[in-house]
C-alpha cells in the first residue's frame, strides 16, 4: 500500500480554522474590530446588513497597510503582531494568531481597501473563498475598510445553522458592547440596515456605560479601585439594589480584553454575599491589569478564556476590592464629578426659568435605611414604615441621631424564639437570633470601616494559653481584632494571650466564649479568605454575641430589636444568608379564613 498521509491544501486548512474562530457574524465583527483597534484607529464604524449575514463591514481610520501587506494579511499564520513564541507572554495587541483574516476569506466574499498615510493611493483586494479575484489601486481615505459578504456562502450547513436575524443581531451587539466598553476613549458607530443603532463619542468609562445602557445606569454604578503588586483593578459594580433577575451586565476585561471567567465571577458573588436576594445577579464592569507574563490567553481560539498564574491571589484581591467598594455594605450615592450638568436637563427645559420646587416631606424617610433588595412578595419597607414607626428628621443635630420616634408598633415574643410585630397591613414574625446577628454584624463592620474601635477595659483581664493552630489564627486576625475594639497582648515566651479590653458591643462575661470562637475560625478558610478577615471576624463575633433562641426578651428589648433590625442595610438576611423574618399580609389571612 502506498503512503497515505498528505498535507491539506491551504483553503481546506483555512476552512477548518474558520470553524473554530468564526461561528457567526458576531465573530467576524469581533475579529475586524479588534484588528482596527490594533491598527490604532480612533474612529471605528460597524455597518451591517441582515444582522451581518449578508454584510459585515468595519471601517477604521487606523494606520492601514501596504499593498504587499494587504495580500499577505490573508495568509494563514500571517501577523505583524508577534515574531517569536516569547512574544505571546508580552502581548499588547488583541490579535496574534494571524488566522482571522485567512479564516474569514475562506468562507465569505471579502472586499478590502486600505491606505497608509504615506501612500497616495489605496490598495484594494477582492477575495472569494480564499481566491483572489481582483487586486487594484483605488482612491480612499487613510485607514482600512473590510467588507465581509455572504458569510458561509460555500458551507450551507453552517449558514443554515445560523439563528434568526434578531438572535444574530443580539450577538453582534453584545460583541460591539464588549469592545466599546473596553475602549471608551475611542469613537464607535454602528449601523444596521442603514439605521444608526449606536454613536458613541470618546467618553470616560462611566459615561460610555451610560451611553450604551441608558443615562440612568450611571447612577447605579459604584467605582471599584484597587492597586496591588499582583494586579490593578478598576471599573464599576452595579449597586446591589439594582441587581437583576437575568444575568445582565457582567463584564470582565483583562488587559482590556473581554474574557469569560466563572472563577472571577465567583469572587464577585462572594463579595456580594448577603446583599443579593436569591435569583438576582450582580452587575459589573471590571478591568484587571496584569503583567502579560502571568497570563495565558492562548488557550482558546476566540481568546475569551484565560489562565492566570496566580489565581488565588487575584480571587482574593478582587473580592476584597469589591467589598471595599460596597463600603462594607454601606453603599452610598456616588457623586460623579466629571458629569456634564447640561446632560441632565433637556434643552427645552433649559430655556424655561427654573421653578421653585414645592417642599415635600417624606415622613417615613429613614436616612439610615438604604434602599434595600426587594423582597419577593411584598415591600416590607412600606409595610413597616408608613404608619406605625413614623420617623421625622430632627431640627437639632446630634439629638438622638436626628431621629425621633413618634409611635411604636406593638410587639410580643413567641416561643422564646420569635418576635412578632404587627403593622397596618401585615404581621411580621422575626427570628430573634438571626435578627440580632444581622444587627451586630453591621455594627462591627461599621466600626471597622469607620476605623472607630470603641473598647471597654476589662476589670479582670483574662489570660488564655494558645495552642499552635490558635496562635496561627490569632496572628492572622490580630489587626482586625484590634480595629474592632479588642485590646490584646501576646506573650511569645509562654504562648499566652492576655485580653485587656473588648469591643463595647460585647459583654464582659462573654470574653472567653468570644475569643474561643475567634480562635477556632477554620485556619484553612482563614488563609483562603485572608483578604476579608474582618468580614469573617464580624460574622463570628456577631454569631457569638447575639441574642440566642430561647432567651426571654423584655418588651423594651423586643422593641429595640425590631427598630434596630429595620435600621440595618440588609434586614432580610442574616450574615449567614438565612431568612430573618416572614410577613403575613391581610390577603394571606383572608385566604385562610375563606
Ligand atoms: P492577527 O490580528 O492575529 O495578527 P489577522 O488575520 O486578524 O491576524 O490580521 C493579519 C494582519 O493584518 C495583522 O497582523 C495586521 O498586520 C493586518 N491588519 C488586519 N486588519 C488591519 C487593519 N484594520 N488595519 C491595519 N492592518 C490590519
Ligand atoms: Mg486579528
Amino acid at each position: 500500500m502506498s503512503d497515505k498521509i498528505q498535507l491539506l491544501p491551504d483553503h481546506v486548512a483555512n476552512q477548518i480554522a474558520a470553524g473554530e474562530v468564526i461561528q457567526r457574524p458576531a465573530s467576524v465583527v469581533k475579529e475586524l474590530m479588534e484588528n482596527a483597534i490594533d491598527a490604532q484607529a480612533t474612529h471605528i464604524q460597524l455597518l451591517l446588513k441582515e444582522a451581518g449575514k449578508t454584510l459585515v463591514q468595519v471601517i477604521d481610520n487606523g494606520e492601514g497597510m501596504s499593498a504587499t501587506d494587504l495580500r499577505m494579511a490573508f495568509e494563514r499564520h500571517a501577523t505583524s503582531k508577534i515574531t517569536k513564541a516569547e512574544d505571546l507572554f508580552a502581548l499588547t495587541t488583541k490579535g496574534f494568531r494571524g488566522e482571522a483574516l485567512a479564516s474569514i476569506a475562506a468562507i465569505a466574499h471579502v472586499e478590502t481597501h486600505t491606505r497608509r498615510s504615506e501612500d497616495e493611493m489605496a490598495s484594494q483586494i477582492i477575495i472569494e473563498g480564499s481566491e483572489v479575484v481582483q487586486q487594484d489601486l483605488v482612491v480612499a481615505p487613510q485607514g482600512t475598510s473590510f467588507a465581509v459578504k455572504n458569510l458561509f456562502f460555500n458551507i450551507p450547513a453552517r449558514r443554515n445553522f445560523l439563528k434568526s436575524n434578531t438572535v444574530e443581531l443580539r450577538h453582534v451587539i453584545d460583541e460591539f458592547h464588549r469592545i466599546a466598553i473596553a475602549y471608551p476613549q475611542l469613537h464607535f458607530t454602528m449601523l444596521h440596515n442603514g439605521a444608526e443603532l449606536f454613536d458613541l463619542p470618546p467618553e470616560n468609562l462611566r459615561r460610555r456605560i451610560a451611553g450604551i445602557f441608558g443615562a440612568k445606569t450611571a447612577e447605579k454604578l459604584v467605582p471599584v479601585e484597587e492597586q496591588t503588586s499582583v494586579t490593578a483593578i478598576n471599573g464599576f459594580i452595579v449597586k446591589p439594589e439594582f441587581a437583576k433577575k437575568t444575568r445582565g451586565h457582567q463584564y470582565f476585561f483583562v488587559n482590556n480584553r473581554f474574557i469569560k471567567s466563572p472563577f472571577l465571577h465567583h469572587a464577585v458573588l462572594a463579595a456580594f454575599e448577603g446583599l443579593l436576594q436569591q435569583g438576582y445577579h450582580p452587575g459589573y464592569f471590571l478591568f484587571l491589569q496584569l503583567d502579560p507574563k502571568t497570563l495565558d490567553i492562548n488557550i482558546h481560539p476566540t481568546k475569551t478564556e484565560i489562565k492566570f498564574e496566580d489565581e488565588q491571589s487575584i480571587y482574593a484581591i478582587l473580592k476584597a476590592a469589591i467589598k471595599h467598594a460596597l463600603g462594607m455594605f454601606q453603599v452610598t450615592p456616588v457623586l460623579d464629578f466629571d458629569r456634564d450638568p447640561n446632560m441632565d436637563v433637556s434643552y427645552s427645559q433649559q430655556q424655561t426659568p427654573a421653578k421653585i420646587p414645592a417642599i415635600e416631606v417624606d415622613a417615613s424617610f429613614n436616612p439610615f435605611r438604604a434602599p434595600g433588595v426587594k423582597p419577593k412578595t411584598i415591600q416590607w419597607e412600606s409595610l413597616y414604615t408608613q404608619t406605625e414607626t413614623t420617623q421625622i428628621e430632627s431640627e437639632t443635630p446630634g439629638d438622638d441621631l436626628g431621629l425621633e420616634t413618634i409611635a411604636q408598633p406593638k410587639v410580643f415574643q413567641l416561643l422564646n424564639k420569635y418576635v412578632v410585630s404587627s403593622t397596618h397591613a401585615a404581621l411580621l414574625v422575626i427570628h430573634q437570633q438571626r435578627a440580632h446577628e444581622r444587627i451586630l454584624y453591621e455594627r462591627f463592620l461599621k466600626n471597622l470601616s469607620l476605623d472607630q474601635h470603641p473598647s471597654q477595659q476589662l476589670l479582670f483581664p483574662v489570660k488564655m494559653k494558645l495552642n499552635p493552630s490558635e496562635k496561627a489564627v490569632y496572628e492572622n486576625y490580630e489587626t482586625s481584632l484590634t480595629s474592632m475594639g479588642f485590646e490584646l497582648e501576646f506573650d511569645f515566651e509562654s504562648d499566652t494571650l492576655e485580653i485587656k479590653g473588648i469591643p463595647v458591643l460585647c459583654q464582659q462575661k462573654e470574653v472567653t466564649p468570644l475569643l474561643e470562637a475567634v480562635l477556632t475560625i477554620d485556619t484553612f478558610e482563614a488563609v483562603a479568605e485572608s483578604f476579608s478577615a474582618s468580614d469573617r471576624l464580624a460574622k463570628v463575633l456577631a454569631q457569638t454575641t447575639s441574642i440566642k433562641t430561647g432567651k426571654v426578651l423584655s418588651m423594651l428589648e423586643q422593641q429595640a430589636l425590631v427598630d434596630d433590625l429595620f435600621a440595618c442595610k440588609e434586614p432580610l438576611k442574616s450574615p449567614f444568608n438565612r431568612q430573618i423574618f416572614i410577613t403575613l399580609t391581610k390577603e394571606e389571612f383572608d385566604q385562610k379564613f375563606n
Side-chain angles (χ1 to χ4, degrees):
M1 207 165 91
S2 60
D3 296 336
K4 57 183 179 180
I5 298 177
Q6 37 180 303
L7 279 176
L8 287 175
D10 273 353
H11 69 274
V12 179
N14 286 339
Q15 269 197 18
I16 293 170
E20 288 184 323
V21 189
I22 309 296
Q23 274 115 32
R24 48 174 24 116
S27 332
V28 177
V29 169
K30 173 178 192 282
E31 295 298 335
L32 295 184
M33 288 184 69
E34 289 189 348
N35 278 348
I37 285 167
D38 284 345
Q40 314 293 331
T42 56
H43 185 189
I44 299 170
Q45 288 172 271
L46 172 63
L47 291 84
L48 302 156
K49 276 190 192 146
E50 283 189 74
K53 289 176 187 171
T54 45
L55 173 75
V56 174
Q57 184 173 14
V58 172
I59 305 171
D60 71 52
N61 63 351
E63 64 198 16
M65 283 174 272
S66 70
T68 324
D69 280 347
L70 178 60
R71 179 65 197 83
M72 269 296 283
F74 292 94
E75 295 295 330
R76 205 140 75 95
H77 307 308
T79 180
S80 56
K81 297 166 194 173
I82 60 171
T83 54
K84 48 189 189 304
E86 298 89 85
D87 295 348
L88 278 174
F89 299 95
L91 283 174
T92 55
T93 53
K94 305 283 99 186
F96 57 86
R97 296 170 62 108
E99 60 186 0
L101 293 184
S103 302
I104 293 169
I107 51 163
H109 297 157
V110 180
E111 278 181 42
T112 306
H113 58 76
T114 182
R115 184 169 77 78
R116 301 180 298 180
S117 63
E118 64 261 48
D119 297 332
E120 237 167 64
M121 295 291 283
S123 321
Q124 186 192 49
I125 195 166
I126 299 177
I127 302 181
E128 294 181 354
S130 290
E131 260 179 58
V132 178
V133 181
Q134 198 184 320
Q135 218 171 345
D136 265 323
L137 287 183
V138 294
V139 176
Q142 187 203 320
T144 305
S145 158
F146 273 100
V148 176
K149 295 179 182 169
N150 310 321
L151 190 65
F152 300 133
F153 79 98
N154 51 357
I155 317 178
R158 303 206 59 195
R159 195 171 171 88
N160 295 337
F161 176 78
L162 292 178
K163 300 279 180 347
S164 69
N165 284 3
T166 325
V167 173
E168 292 302 336
L169 185 64
R170 188 68 250 162
H171 284 290
V172 169
I173 291 174
D174 284 347
E175 213 58 72
F176 179 83
H177 284 170
R178 290 166 185 177
I179 295 170
I181 294 169
Y183 293 90
Q185 72 278 21
L186 305 183
H187 186 175
F188 292 96
T189 37
M190 172 170 172
L191 280 86
H192 183 232
N193 293 337
E196 184 180 283
L197 295 190
F198 294 97
D199 182 24
L200 307 167
E203 294 276 29
N204 64 27
L205 177 61
R206 186 192 283 269
R207 279 207 240 155
R208 171 58 52 92
I209 294 169
I212 293 174
F213 299 113
K216 280 235 153 60
T217 325
E219 295 150 31
K220 302 178 185 170
L221 303 176
V222 183
V224 179
E225 200 90 56
E226 187 72 68
Q227 183 89 40
T228 71
S229 55
V230 182
T231 176
I233 300 173
N234 75 297
F236 294 98
I237 48 175
V238 178
K239 288 184 193 169
E241 61 261 39
F242 298 111
K244 291 193 172 164
K245 280 217 145 172
T246 52
R247 273 171 162 261
H249 307 331
Q250 301 184 335
Y251 295 86
F252 283 120
F253 301 91
V254 172
N255 294 352
N256 275 24
R257 186 190 299 277
F258 172 84
I259 57 143
K260 294 178 182 150
S261 170
F263 180 74
L264 294 182
H265 178 73
H266 192 272
V268 178
L269 287 182
F272 271 86
E273 198 202 318
L275 289 175
L276 294 178
Q277 276 261 114
Q278 251 217 322
Y280 283 77
H281 299 278
Y284 49 83
F285 305 86
L286 294 167
F287 290 72
L288 284 78
Q289 305 297 333
L290 281 132
D291 183 342
K293 279 207 276 303
T294 66
L295 295 177
D296 191 353
I297 299 157
N298 197 23
I299 56 172
H300 193 270
T302 58
K303 298 168 287 196
T304 46
E305 283 161 41
I306 220 164
K307 257 185 62 192
F308 300 102
E309 195 177 87
D310 190 0
E311 253 184 7
Q312 291 305 325
S313 303
I314 294 169
Y315 183 97
I317 296 167
L318 180 62
K319 182 176 158 194
I322 294 172
K323 283 209 162 197
H324 185 77
L326 289 165
M328 289 297 192
F329 303 176
Q330 326 243 327
V331 181
T332 46
V334 193
L335 298 175
D336 184 5
F337 291 109
D338 39 35
R339 160 159 159 190
D340 178 357
N342 292 325
M343 290 189 41
D344 296 335
V345 186
S346 73
Y347 283 108
S348 59
Q349 280 177 358
Q350 279 176 31
Q351 311 305 325
T352 56
K355 246 199 342 219
I356 301 196
I359 296 167
E360 278 172 36
V361 180
D362 178 4
S364 67
F365 173 70
N366 178 346
F368 292 93
R369 185 176 303 149
V373 186
K374 300 281 171 288
K376 265 169 263 158
T377 46
I378 55 169
Q379 310 251 331
W380 62 265
E381 284 183 286
S382 58
L383 254 182
Y384 205 75
T385 54
Q386 265 167 16
T387 51
E388 335 281 331
T389 49
T390 309
Q391 290 166 320
I392 54 161
E393 278 185 70
S394 156
E395 304 266 86
T396 33
D399 168 20
D400 192 20
L401 285 169
L403 287 174
E404 195 184 324
T405 306
I406 290 180
Q408 299 292 354
K410 314 238 174 313
V411 286
F412 65 89
Q413 200 181 13
L414 187 70
L415 306 166
N416 291 344
K417 182 173 184 183
Y418 302 106
V419 172
V420 182
S421 169
S422 63
T423 79
H424 68 289
L427 198 71
L428 267 82
V429 183
I430 300 166
H431 192 289
Q432 67 185 44
Q433 179 170 344
R434 293 180 193 172
H436 201 222
E437 281 174 8
R438 164 54 65 183
I439 295 163
L440 291 175
Y441 171 62
E442 292 198 6
R443 285 192 188 153
F444 279 121
L445 282 181
K446 193 171 166 200
N447 286 349
L448 252 186
S449 62
L450 296 177
D451 207 22
Q452 290 172 353
H453 25 88
S455 179
Q456 51 176 321
Q457 295 283 320
L458 291 183
L459 281 177
F460 307 101
V462 180
K463 283 190 179 178
M464 284 172 84
K465 196 169 163 60
L466 304 190
N467 66 32
S469 82
E470 289 171 336
K471 205 172 115 185
V473 180
Y474 165 70
E475 281 169 359
N476 199 6
Y477 284 101
E478 192 188 345
T479 2
S480 305
L481 284 166
T482 321
S483 49
M484 279 189 179
F486 282 94
E487 263 181 66
L488 305 166
E489 220 172 85
F490 188 67
D491 176 36
F492 284 89
E493 297 269 283
S494 58
D495 282 346
T496 307
L497 183 67
E498 189 177 0
I499 304 123
K500 295 178 161 172
I502 58 168
V504 282
L505 289 174
C506 303
Q507 289 181 20
Q508 305 236 352
K509 61 174 195 280
E510 291 171 334
V511 178
T512 320
L514 207 61
L515 256 294
E516 274 168 1
V518 171
L519 294 173
T520 47
I521 291 177
D522 190 307
T523 358
F524 178 74
E525 215 179 332
V527 172
E529 297 207 355
S530 58
F531 280 88
S532 60
S534 37
D535 181 61
R536 181 100 199 112
L537 195 60
K539 280 185 184 157
V540 171
L541 291 180
Q543 192 176 34
T544 331
T545 48
S546 67
I547 294 169
K548 301 292 181 300
T549 293
K551 185 169 194 285
V552 182
L553 301 176
S554 72
M555 204 60 167
L556 274 177
E557 286 172 321
Q558 295 171 34
Q559 189 56 59
L561 189 78
V562 177
D563 288 347
D564 291 348
L565 175 65
F566 290 104
C568 282
K569 301 288 174 204
E570 296 298 332
L572 294 171
K573 293 270 156 115
S574 83
F576 304 93
N577 220 11
R578 312 285 297 275
Q579 181 92 20
I580 293 179
F581 63 89
I582 57 161
T583 51
L584 286 166
T585 61
K586 178 174 175 297
E587 290 72 41
E588 284 165 306
F589 281 116
D590 287 348
Q591 251 171 22
K592 290 201 194 299
F593 288 105
N594 192 359

